[in-house]
Amino acid sequence: MTRVPQRAPFITFEGGEGAGKTTQTRLLADRLAAIGIACVVTREPGGSPFAEEVRALLLSGHLPPRGPMAEALLFLAARVDHVAETIMPALEAGQWVISDRFADSTFAYQGAAGGVPRATLAGLHHLVLGDFRPDLTLILDLPPEIGLARAGARGQSAVDRFESRELAYHEALRQGFLAIAAEEPQRCAVIEASGSPEDVAARAWRIVEARLLSKVG
Ligand code: TYD
């Protein structure tokens, strides 16, 4: 009989600009740490030295736009390295991993909003990562006007290339994330991201408890 290796849970946060993913990633890690579960916290694009280089290239604004397909391939190249160098070694060592964005961002940004067919992106993902996917994806949902206002208020020196697009793009993005959640309800949960960070964290925690902690005992 072949033994399927047990690995720790992999959680991702997804959502549009200003949805609060970075804060929620940290709050969830703190809450898990408080019950004795230390997590590896990571992010995309980035999360490994090579992927952080790709991140800098993608977000710098120095690259002339080459369209969503070229972007998708760069995000994917970074992701393969991130999984191999950071995510998988941790999961296999029994450590929980929480990532601020992962593959669903490519489906939403380059796919739903950018126009690359979903089947193409799914094929590319499968080619390089097989069936690897998060055990739980928390999608922070917010009307784009509110998210963009929040992102603007963060006072970033230069709004990055992906944030500076028009409202219709961000609305398509939101619908893209909601469609993913509707298609994979077992893996995904949509969390209403308005309200205080603590309120949103409490919503996220209820889902983590119900879907993951009840299973690990
Ligand atoms: P980041 O600073 O992480 O933005 P945020 O704070 O909104 O998470 O920058 C990541 C940007 O890259 C963000 O605008 C989303 C975009 N992105 C894609 O377009 N495709 C992807 O696959 C990923 C991972 C990110």
Side-chain angles (χ1 to χ4, degrees), residues 14-148:
E14 297 279 5
E17 314 298 329
K21 293 175 307 301
T22 308
T23 305
Q24 292 305 323
T25 300
R26 187 174 43 73
L27 291 174
L28 178 58
D30 289 349
R31 205 142 182 186
L32 284 166
I35 59 163
I37 298 176
C39 301
V40 170
V41 171
T42 185
R43 67 169 181 185
E44 284 210 356
S48 66
F50 171 80
E52 288 290 332
E53 295 280 346
V54 178
R55 176 192 178 91
L57 188 68
L58 275 162
L59 302 186
S60 66
H62 294 321
L63 274 187
R66 276 292 173 268
M69 185 60 179
E71 280 169 10
L73 292 169
L74 282 173
F75 282 113
L76 208 61
R79 182 163 307 129
V80 171
D81 194 69
H82 182 208
V83 171
E85 296 298 316
T86 304
I87 298 174
M88 227 18 153
L91 294 178
E92 285 177 349
Q95 256 195 310
W96 291 44
V97 175
I98 310 177
S99 186
D100 179 352
R101 293 195 186 282
F102 190 64
D104 297 310
S105 282
T106 306
F107 284 94
Y109 279 81
Q110 283 66 49
V116 179
R118 192 188 159 286
T120 305
L121 294 176
L124 286 170
H125 180 96
H126 192 261
L127 188 69
V128 291
L129 287 168
D131 290 331
F132 182 71
R133 56 174 51 82
D135 299 291
L136 176 63
T137 296
L138 299 165
I139 296 177
L140 298 181
D141 182 55
L142 202 62
E145 309 80 46
I146 301 178
L148 289 172

